[in-house]
Amino acid sequence: KKMITMTMIAVAAMTSVSAMADEVQSKWYGGVGLGQSHVSYNSEDFRVNPNIAANGYTASTYDRSEDLSYNLYAGYRLNKNWSAKVEYTDFGTQKWGYNITGGNANSNLNIQALSLSAVGVYPVAEKVSLLGEAGAFYYEAKRSPTHSGTVVPLTGTPEVSKASGVKPFVAVGVQYDVSKQVAVIGKYAYYGEVGSQDNFGRVKLSNVSVNLQYNF
């Protein structure tokens, strides 16, 4: 009987430890995502140099406002509905420029961000939840311009310019729980205006992504 009692106590203790471990493991999660970023250019900062028209040239502008983005993140659950999350996002490379006869001006734009946010999850059906997110992000933006041909003597040779700052952001999404460990999340995030009029130029930034999340 003593042996049976000790065995039952051991089993109970192991079960308790296992349950505690599962509870602790469920606190943490991590994920990776792919998406499409989008920028809207401020027309005051992204415009044809006035010297072009003054010298009798007509310029045609072009831009690439969207590109592939990717993100990595990790989070800690405070309870079943709320968590804190840190995330890194690279928004790819956008492009703005203009052409004239015999030359062109190009700007490659890249923005990267590190964010800290509070995430709320609200179940609406079995395995399906709505997601809301709000927080702040630190960004670094780099603009790499080049001029060629006829444009060069009219504008000079530009230098690489950079901008950085801290801004608030919000996001909304839908989460589908494939299992207790794996979830798929579709999310739209709006970051507002980033950049500076003095160097990088001002753009409004947003991102749509699909994320694969693992619960530890």
Side-chain angles (χ1 to χ4, degrees), residues 14-148:
M14 292 174 63
T15 302
S16 178
V17 170
S18 177
M20 290 175 63
D22 289 341
E23 183 180 353
V24 172
Q25 288 177 346
S26 67
K27 297 283 188 181
W28 294 95
Y29 62 88
V32 59
L34 289 175
Q36 185 175 68
S37 60
H38 177 82
V39 298
S40 297
Y41 298 97
N42 187 306
S43 60
E44 294 182 5
D45 302 341
F46 295 88
R47 60 188 177 88
V48 178
N49 192 300
N51 291 333
I52 298 296
N55 281 269
Y57 292 96
T58 299
S60 59
T61 62
Y62 60 90
D63 65 71
R64 185 177 70 195
S65 300
E66 299 173 337
D67 197 25
L68 181 70
S69 64
Y70 70 89
N71 59 284
L72 302 168
Y73 64 90
Y76 179 80
R77 287 188 181 84
L78 305 174
N79 55 48
K80 65 179 182 179
N81 296 115
W82 293 97
S83 66
K85 186 177 77 170
V86 61
E87 182 170 5
Y88 166 79
T89 306
D90 188 317
F91 297 97
T93 302
Q94 283 75 34
K95 183 185 290 286
W96 185 91
Y98 57 86
N99 292 316
I100 66 171
T101 302
N104 63 70
N106 296 303
S107 285
N108 290 328
L109 309 165
N110 176 253
I111 304 171
Q112 300 176 60
L114 184 66
S115 65
L116 180 63
S117 62
V119 182
V121 176
Y122 182 77
V124 293
E126 185 179 2
K127 297 187 177 184
V128 179
S129 301
L130 298 180
L131 180 148
E133 185 175 351
F137 69 101
Y138 169 78
Y139 73 89
E140 292 186 347
K142 180 179 179 181
R143 181 174 180 176
S144 303
T146 59
H147 294 164
S148 67

Side-chain angles (χ1 to χ4, degrees), residues 159-177:
E159 296 181 355
V160 171
S161 61
K162 298 179 180 180
S164 61
V166 177
K167 306 274 289 188
F169 80 101
V170 294
V172 293
V174 177
Q175 176 175 315
Y176 177 78
D177 297 321

